[in-house]
Amino acid sequence: MNNTNVQLSSPSATTSGATNSVLRVPPASPAAAAAYFGASLAFHADVSDVASALADGGDPGFVVIDTRSTASWDQGHVPGALHLPTALIPEQAEALLDKSVPVVTYCWGPGCNGATRAALALARLGFQVKEMLGGFEYWAREGFEFETWEGRERRAPDALTAPVDAEDCGC
């Protein structure tokens, strides 16, 4: 049987006049969705992908920038990250960074837009940039090693953010 013409939408969403809050605004066309999600991946990386690239050894092809304050940096940061607070980007970025090397910014976590503001400042200066989704919060919550002023530390992975007893989440 040829299933290429099978309708995959919910009958209640298309045949009745009422719709739920999820479908009140219809989904984008597949082409528009592909463009949007493709663009999203050009702007974002998640902590697991960054950690994996850094753990492979050698040059990952990007530099990681912690955009938080010195006090926050001292509490913990991604090993190998450069410390460049957002407010200092306009005066220090060009002396510290190579414009031919992509930059990955991070801040505290999903509730903080510091990494977004830093990425914007860097992009305006001509840098290729991505934002690390989840920030330092998810780095630590997923059980990746981090550095503090006292040395290296690692916490047990949070089962709500990282797979338990598995190498990766399968995404």
Side-chain angles (χ1 to χ4, degrees), residues 70-71 73-77 147-152:
T70 299
W73 166 267
D74 288 345
Q75 279 183 249
H77 55 272
E147 295 177 324
T148 72
W149 62 274
E150 295 178 309
R152 291 201 174 213

Side-chain angles (χ1 to χ4, degrees), residues 28-91:
S29 71
Y36 172 83
F37 293 117
S40 178
L41 292 172
F43 297 112
H44 301 109
D46 69 26
V47 297
S48 294
D49 289 342
V50 172
S52 176
L54 295 175
D56 283 343
D59 180 4
F62 59 88
V63 63
V64 179
I65 302 293
D66 185 313
T67 67
R68 302 170 301 151
S69 69
T70 299
S72 299
W73 166 267
D74 288 345
Q75 279 183 249
H77 55 272
V78 172
L82 295 177
H83 185 223
L84 182 57
T86 302
L88 300 179
I89 287 173
E91 64 192 60

Side-chain angles (χ1 to χ4, degrees), residues 81-106:
L82 295 177
H83 185 223
L84 182 57
T86 302
L88 300 179
I89 287 173
E91 64 192 60
Q92 294 183 6
E94 296 197 56
L96 294 174
L97 303 169
D98 179 345
K99 287 188 179 177
S100 69
V101 178
V103 177
V104 176
T105 63
Y106 75 89

Side-chain angles (χ1 to χ4, degrees), residues 77 113 136:
H77 55 272
N113 68 0
F136 181 73

Side-chain angles (χ1 to χ4, degrees), residues 4-50:
T4 58
N5 294 323
V6 174
Q7 181 84 23
L8 296 178
S9 62
S10 165
S12 63
T14 57
T15 57
S16 71
T19 185
N20 62 46
S21 59
V22 171
L23 298 174
R24 190 169 295 129
V25 174
S29 71
Y36 172 83
F37 293 117
S40 178
L41 292 172
F43 297 112
H44 301 109
D46 69 26
V47 297
S48 294
D49 289 342
V50 172

